[in-house]
Amino acid sequence: MLPHRSFLSIALALALAVASAAAAADWQPTAELGVVNTSGNSDTTSVNGKFALAGEDALWTHDYYLAALRAESEDQLSANRQELGAKAARKLGERAYLGAAARYENDDFAAYAYQATLAVNYGAWLLKDERREFQIEGGPGLRRAELAETGEAENEALLRGFADYRHQFTESTRFFNTLLVEAAPDNRFIQNDIGIAVSINHSLALKAALQARHNTDVPEGVRRTDTLTSVNIVWTPGGTQD
């Protein structure tokens, strides 16, 4: 059985090794934050944020991110999730690539206390022009997870699939839809993010999004699907939207 820390160490070591080999890449940071606070008849507070770092050079592309969600209702914690992801790929011509992806999430209110995945991918841009991009990738990998209810660990192979579609409707408005599938014998995790980003100025944008996360294997009484509706301010030096 692969220990939890060892699994995560492999994923992080892979990401750091590739990143260190691409010190000359052109890096682009992005940060976003959304906060909701109500008081009076009900007191609720929710915060969600994400920091991403993308880099590219002549041979490699890199994508890393850290995301978090926290919510309280009537002074009781109702959501607490952190997620870390990393992707690196070697270009195979102008549109195809071969790479690896790692993802780790910790959620205090989900069927799984944590899930960690590591996969190799072959991907390509099926569509790439000035206004539209459609990217897909897939490949085999490994998954380790711990059931929140029992503490039982799951170690298994998986198939990972990813699709990302973006459409620049106007100079200031972009539509996006991103789908992630991690299919393993014990559980299939599916996440879809759909939304609109509208530029406010050269570096800031307003993003409205709906996220749906689905696990097929959950204990009785636990919902399979979680959704998050968010309106965030996005900061991107250079004016590139999500």
Side-chain angles (χ1 to χ4, degrees):
M1 181 177 293
L2 185 62
H4 168 207
R5 292 182 178 177
S6 297
F7 190 105
L8 182 57
S9 296
I10 292 173
L12 292 176
L14 176 63
L16 291 173
V18 176
S20 63
D26 182 18
W27 293 97
Q28 177 70 70
T30 301
E32 62 181 83
L33 180 66
V35 179
V36 175
N37 181 267
T38 66
S39 61
N41 293 319
S42 63
D43 296 322
T44 63
T45 302
S46 66
V47 179
N48 74 89
K50 182 178 181 179
F51 178 77
L53 189 63
E56 184 174 357
D57 59 22
L59 296 177
W60 291 87
T61 62
H62 312 266
D63 290 285
Y64 308 103
Y65 72 88
L66 174 64
L69 168 67
R70 183 180 177 89
E72 294 183 3
S73 179
E74 303 297 338
D75 296 326
Q76 296 293 320
L77 190 64
S78 56
N80 189 33
R81 182 175 75 229
Q82 300 85 37
E83 184 175 356
L84 175 68
K87 289 202 304 183
R90 174 67 157 79
K91 297 178 183 178
L92 304 174
E94 292 185 359
R95 293 202 175 189
Y97 56 90
L98 182 66
R103 189 180 72 88
Y104 174 86
E105 71 170 50
N106 183 90
D107 195 332
D108 293 343
F109 293 87
Y112 290 90
Y114 71 83
Q115 295 191 71
T117 62
L118 178 63
V120 294
N121 302 295
Y122 174 80
W125 279 272
L126 302 184
L127 181 64
K128 193 172 186 179
D129 57 35
E130 291 183 357
R131 294 215 173 256
R132 298 169 299 168
E133 292 185 9
F134 182 35
Q135 174 189 6
I136 63 171
E137 61 188 39
L142 300 171
R143 170 181 178 267
R144 178 178 171 88
E146 181 182 294
L147 286 164
E149 187 177 50
T150 64
E152 179 183 356
E154 297 176 351
N155 297 277
E156 54 194 343
L158 65 76
L159 288 175
R160 178 185 179 276
F162 175 84
D164 184 26
Y165 177 74
R166 304 183 184 192
H167 192 136
Q168 191 78 37
F169 287 116
T170 68
E171 185 176 345
S172 62
T173 304
R174 173 180 290 190
F175 168 83
F176 61 90
N177 188 57
T178 304
L179 174 67
L180 171 65
V181 179
E182 296 171 344
D186 287 332
N187 182 64
R188 287 183 297 280
F189 173 78
I190 303 169
Q191 176 174 314
N192 194 81
D193 294 85
I194 186 170
I196 293 283
V198 179
S199 297
I200 299 173
N201 56 35
H202 186 64
S203 299
L204 295 177
L206 185 66
K207 185 175 82 170
L210 172 64
Q211 180 184 88
R213 298 161 57 90
H214 180 82
N215 288 284
T216 58
D217 184 26
V218 299
E220 185 176 351
V222 176
R223 294 182 180 179
R224 289 186 171 89
T225 302
D226 293 311
T227 61
L228 173 65
T229 302
S230 61
V231 178
N232 291 359
I233 291 291
V234 182
W235 170 77
T236 306
T240 302
Q241 296 177 21
D242 182 308

